[in-house]
Amino acid sequence: MKLLIFGPTGGSGAQLLTQALEAGHDVTAVARDPDRIPAAGHGRLTLIGGDVLEPRTWQAAVGGHEAVLSCLGSRDRKHPTTVYSQGTTNIVDAMSQAGVRRLVCLSSAGLEIPPGTPLPQRLVTRFLIQRLYRHGYTDMAAMERAVAASDVDWTIIRPPMLTDGPLTGRYRAAVGRHLANPRRISRADLAHYMLSHIEDRGTWQKTVEVSS
Ligand SMILES: NC(=O)c1ccc[n+]([C@@H]2O[C@H](COP(=O)([O-])OP(=O)(O)OC[C@H]3O[C@@H](n4cnc5c(N)ncnc54)[C@H](OP(=O)(O)O)[C@@H]3O)[C@@H](O)[C@H]2O)c1
């Protein structure tokens, strides 16, 4: 497939890029600093220097792709961000203009505390994790609303804590419902899920929780 990846310099994005190339896909990767993209020089990889918040830098490249995969994220916990909401809205707008329909993007399991969560875990999530990541979560929630209201064929993936563990291919996924006791997943397994469900229509217009 012809895939367009945002966030290839990040942990999950680098895994996704590597796995996509290994699987034989043609990949276009958009990064603020393309020199930091792994696998630069690969014959099936096209690099674009661009900021998702400045669509003029990359929107002309969107046409012709069969899917857009976003591993965008903000590492700044102290300040509000719009990289999830405005960034992904820019992507959706560019996809609509270019006639590209399939979008897979990342959010977080920490946005919501599922019913039945044990009290200690509920308290940790509510008063520690949701406070620590409040700016990111606020913007992710806005992103989820914007994506769900769009007319692209979207899948929003909500992972729990990400690790740099190996690719195992052994993880759980819950489509359109909560996963019991999500704890962690490796970025490699998260990328594996994204890549292997691009064409799975059962995940379109759905939020998916994943966990090892
Ligand atoms: N860490 C966790 O435990 C955890 C848990 C649940 C969900 N998540 C979410 O999962 C996703 C992946 O996490 P990760 O830790 O693998 O990602 P990450 O390493 O933080 O990578 C984020 C990527 O987004 C890019 N980016 C940020 N702002 C951009 C902009 N304005 N224009 C273009 N690119 C931009 C970064 O590029 P630069 O290299 O140029 O900065 C980087 O490639 C994120 O959305 C994260 O919030 C994380």
Side-chain angles (χ1 to χ4, degrees), residues 6-13 30-33 36 50-54 58 70-75 81 83-84 106-110 133 137 140 143 157-164 187 190:
F6 285 88
T9 54
S12 303
V30 180
R32 292 186 282 196
D33 180 359
R36 291 181 40 235
D51 186 317
V52 75
L53 298 176
E54 295 173 24
W58 49 266
S70 171
C71 293
L72 288 167
S74 170
R75 300 184 189 108
T81 178
V83 75
Y84 300 96
L106 297 180
S107 178
S108 173
Y133 296 103
Y137 284 3
M140 279 181 202
M143 171 190 74
I157 302 177
R158 287 179 165 187
M161 185 174 76
L162 299 178
T163 75
D164 291 322
R187 290 177 169 89
L190 175 61

Side-chain angles (χ1 to χ4, degrees), residues 10-16 18-19 160-171 184-192 212:
S12 303
Q15 290 291 332
L16 181 64
T18 303
Q19 291 180 33
M161 185 174 76
L162 299 178
T163 75
D164 291 322
L167 172 63
T168 69
R170 292 190 305 276
Y171 49 79
R184 60 184 64 82
I185 189 169
S186 72
R187 290 177 169 89
D189 278 341
L190 175 61
H192 182 270
S212 59

Side-chain angles (χ1 to χ4, degrees), residues 37-115:
I37 295 180
H42 192 289
R44 276 182 280 100
L45 175 61
T46 303
L47 305 181
I48 298 201
D51 186 317
V52 75
L53 298 176
E54 295 173 24
R56 61 173 176 76
T57 58
W58 49 266
Q59 64 188 2
V62 173
H65 291 91
E66 292 162 273
V68 177
L69 309 173
S70 171
C71 293
L72 288 167
S74 170
R75 300 184 189 108
D76 178 359
R77 289 185 206 152
K78 293 191 177 150
H79 304 98
T81 178
T82 60
V83 75
Y84 300 96
S85 60
Q86 190 58 56
T88 310
T89 296
N90 291 345
I91 292 172
V92 166
D93 288 348
M95 289 174 65
S96 298
Q97 281 168 27
V100 178
R101 295 213 46 85
R102 181 71 174 121
L103 172 69
V104 182
C105 64
L106 297 180
S107 178
S108 173
L111 254 59
E112 216 178 317
I113 303 173

Side-chain angles (χ1 to χ4, degrees), residues 184-205:
R184 60 184 64 82
I185 189 169
S186 72
R187 290 177 169 89
D189 278 341
L190 175 61
H192 182 270
Y193 183 87
M194 295 177 80
L195 206 52
S196 55
H197 288 78
I198 295 172
E199 296 180 283
D200 178 1
R201 287 173 178 261
T203 67
W204 294 13
Q205 273 76 37

